[in-house]
Amino acid sequence: MKRSQFWDHVILVLGALFMLVPVVYALMTSSHDAVSIYKEGLQLSPGGHFVDTYKQVLTEAGGFTKSVTGLTMLWNSLVLGLGFAFGKIIISMLAAYAIVYFRFPLGTFFFWIIFSTLLLPLEVRILPSYEIVQGLGMANTYSGLIIPLIASATGTFYFRQFFKSVPDELVEAARIDGAGPLKFFIDILVPLSKTMIAAIFIIMFVFGWNQYLWPTLITTDESLFTLVRGMKQILQVWIGAQIPDTNQAMALAVLAMLPPVLIVVIFQSWFVKGLVESEK
Amino acid sequence: MAGIQLNTLRKIYAGNVEAVKGISIDIKDGEFIVLVGPSGCGKSTLLRMVAGLETITDGELFIGDRLVNNVEPADRDIAMVFQNYALYPHMTVYGNLAYGLKNRSIPKDEIEKRVRKAAEILEIGDFLDRRPRQLSGGQRQRVAMGRAIVREPAAFLFDEPLSNLDAKLRVQMRMEIKKLQKELGTTSLYVTHDQLEAMTLADRLVVLSGGVVEQIGSPIDVYEKPASTFVATFIGSPAMNLLPLAKSGNEWKLDNGANVDVKLNTDLSDLILGVRPEDLVIEELSEKFDTGLHTALTVHVVEPVGAESYVHGTIGEGSVDVVVRAPGKLHFEPGQILKVTAKPEKLHTFDTKSGKRIELEGALETA
Ligand SMILES: Nc1ncnc2c1ncn2[C@@H]1O[C@H](COP(=O)(O)OP(=O)(O)OP(=O)(O)O)[C@@H](O)[C@H]1O
Ligand SMILES: [Mg+2]
């Protein structure tokens, strides 16, 4: 009993270290200056240049055109992450609502069509998608960045399952209470789905934030670069021929990690609370 | 306030399931009608057709003077109480009561007034700020009732509203519903499969079986003059004893050959004789009479329930189970022979084939 607990802990601690050490490396290294990192390698202790480095990364324009700062990229990532998450939630809720509550011809068929697109992730359809977005003149726009990504079979599927678990009698009570389809959706279904929405929001925000391939393809204008997409590009230019600015690279990496971590931490408490106080 | 008229209502579900086969009921204004019947007989379907939650395949439905076959549930001027309450989990009790009124654009102060009044009647005033999940089953039931009351509808529809409550609470709520309905005078249609609930609540009972009406009448009428063997066994507990009899010569016999000493004024050669357990009296305890039924049981099982005992026995070898409701203080032994009698006016007769009640002319022959 004792012994197995001991080994449980060893494994957990090792796992935690495995995950955390690179993050700590990045954080600590980013607080040194480029020269000392060049001489002494990656750091595990705090250095004295934390504020300098981050200020520089966030505000100093980089890239070929000198039109993009860390702050712009952070903003772009935020727009993508939020647009992606909210877009997916809205679209998939509406789709699931239609599929579950309205009898229309071929409803089930359409559901399976949507479902089968799970087999066609962006990577598979990337060229045609690019063609279309380009053709619509949406390259290098926020909408071009977000809209092609938000149709979501996963989200639709989750919401469909959830809506199906809402008791029929609740729907009927609302009908007798004079709630039409729109009112029912907004007054009853959306509030009931709160926890579901929070869960999907977490997943989708992180997923959207970390998009790499699509932003790389669709944004060539540096002022639209997201952090994940721009980090390397920007640094190559910054680095130039001199000592590599490893501290700045690490600072950008930390910045790129921070918002998803915050979202998870903030919404998790919400999420757990919602799960515990089941509303149905 | 209004009456409800059902004219040969029919419901055919997808897959050609005929759940309701032409039912007509004329419900008077302010009347409390209980639909009762075994599981799957179409009670809920019928109620939901009145509510507008289920389309009407055929027939006409009037609420008041208005034909409402194609009217939305919200516009039928009815309120429904569901079995699992169907309260909106994310709204407070106040919100639950007010929601239907808000959707009807009733002014805020009027809503407030109605909710307070309903809360007072139902004694849920202290919970108005709570969510349904913070309430007990009985309290939720009251909130569900409140949601119906505030609407001030022409009719209340109940679908087994008490079946999720424990036995004691059920009895209490049953009385409260009855009292409330009488106070408000609102026409009510109430579905249950519990015959006791049906008997105690109803002004008139509608006994359903297999999508058709078996009998409509006041609880006492239905109890004393069941229209068929189905009603006879469904209403009353323990159920009415049914003895299939055939005439041989001058005597009535059970199919196991046992003689049953009964005097019946009829030309029929076979019929089903019905007698309620409480109408079978132990011969030694009863006054002497020659008419009616005289027979002897072999006791098999005794179920004492306190004030009385249900004595199960058979007439002759292995025939139908006959139950006698005997005083609880008496003692019975399995295997013992028990002589019982029933007065002629306590006997019911039914047609062997159709199971329909037969009224014997001049009632039952005297001696
Ligand atoms: N949506 C449906 N589609 C097809 N058949 C149905 C549907 N709903 C009910 N039925 C059938 O109609 C018949 C009557 O059902 P209903 O729910 O009215 O019974 P009930 O009398 O309320 O029974 P219970 O006491 O179990 O609630 C049943 O045979 C049932 O299988
Ligand atoms: Mg039912």
Side-chain angles (χ1 to χ4, degrees), chain B residues 56-261:
Chain B
I56 296 171
T57 311
D58 199 17
E60 289 169 320
L61 174 68
F62 292 91
I63 296 179
D65 304 326
R66 199 158 58 113
L67 180 70
V68 292
N69 281 38
N70 297 313
V71 176
E72 271 295 301
D75 303 324
R76 288 193 181 190
D77 200 14
I78 46 100
M80 186 153 168
V81 180
F82 294 87
Q83 176 172 358
N84 63 14
Y85 321 131
L87 300 176
Y88 309 120
H90 59 291
M91 294 184 192
T92 60
V93 169
Y94 187 96
N96 266 282
L97 297 196
Y99 185 64
L101 303 180
K102 253 188 238 160
N103 289 342
R104 283 181 174 67
S105 343
I106 288 171
K108 249 202 158 89
D109 47 343
E110 169 71 12
I111 295 181
E112 166 106 23
K113 213 173 74 193
R114 286 205 207 172
V115 172
R116 300 272 166 216
K117 195 173 130 211
E120 193 184 323
I121 295 174
L122 293 163
E123 295 167 17
I124 50 173
D126 295 343
F127 318 129
L128 285 179
D129 295 328
R130 293 208 205 157
R131 299 282 163 88
R133 75 174 118 79
Q134 299 164 314
L135 300 176
S136 72
Q139 290 162 347
R140 283 180 211 186
Q141 181 58 56
R142 283 164 198 273
V143 177
M145 296 277 301
R147 192 167 60 177
I149 292 177
V150 291
R151 297 265 309 276
E152 301 178 359
F156 293 137
L157 308 176
F158 302 87
D159 193 352
E160 312 209 10
L162 303 184
S163 53
N164 282 358
L165 301 178
D166 65 55
K168 200 171 154 205
L169 204 52
R170 204 177 311 163
V171 174
Q172 187 195 337
M173 285 304 292
R174 194 166 78 197
M175 291 189 306
E176 288 190 24
I177 289 180
K178 173 119 183 168
K179 199 172 115 226
L180 192 65
Q181 195 268 346
K182 287 292 161 239
E183 274 168 21
L184 299 172
T186 310
T187 314
S188 301
L189 193 53
Y190 187 108
V191 161
T192 179
H193 61 253
D194 179 343
Q195 52 101 10
L196 193 61
E197 210 170 288
M199 294 287 285
T200 49
L201 281 173
D203 291 332
R204 277 196 300 158
L205 273 181
V206 177
V207 185
L208 295 180
S209 156
V212 297
V213 173
E214 287 279 337
Q215 188 169 9
I216 303 183
S218 72
I220 283 302
D221 273 355
V222 172
Y223 190 77
E224 293 189 338
K225 286 191 183 325
S228 64
T229 49
F230 174 83
V231 179
T233 48
F234 191 76
I235 302 288
S237 170
M240 183 186 281
N241 299 301
L242 294 179
L243 305 172
L245 298 179
K247 206 165 200 168
S248 92
N250 250 346
E251 312 215 289
W252 292 98
K253 281 191 194 302
L254 283 168
D255 51 9
N256 64 351
N259 257 350
V260 176
D261 175 9

Side-chain angles (χ1 to χ4, degrees), chain A residues 3-24:
Chain A
R3 162 165 299 199
S4 82
Q5 247 180 22
F6 172 77
W7 283 110
D8 288 351
H9 279 98
V10 168
I11 291 168
L12 281 175
V13 167
L14 282 178
L17 284 179
F18 191 70
M19 304 293 281
L20 284 177
V21 167
V23 178
V24 174

Side-chain angles (χ1 to χ4, degrees), chain A residues 12 24 26 67 88 98 144 164 185 187 195 207 215 226 232 240 260:
Chain A
L12 281 175
V24 174
S67 65
K88 267 190 189 271
K164 285 196 149 197
F185 184 69
D187 289 351
T195 55
F207 194 50
T226 62
K232 184 158 165 277

Side-chain angles (χ1 to χ4, degrees), chain B residues 13-14 17 19 37-46 54 159-160 191 193:
Chain B
Y13 280 114
V17 183
S39 186
C41 70
K43 313 180 287 286
S44 300
T45 304
L46 190 62
E54 217 64 80
D159 193 352
E160 312 209 10
V191 161
H193 61 253

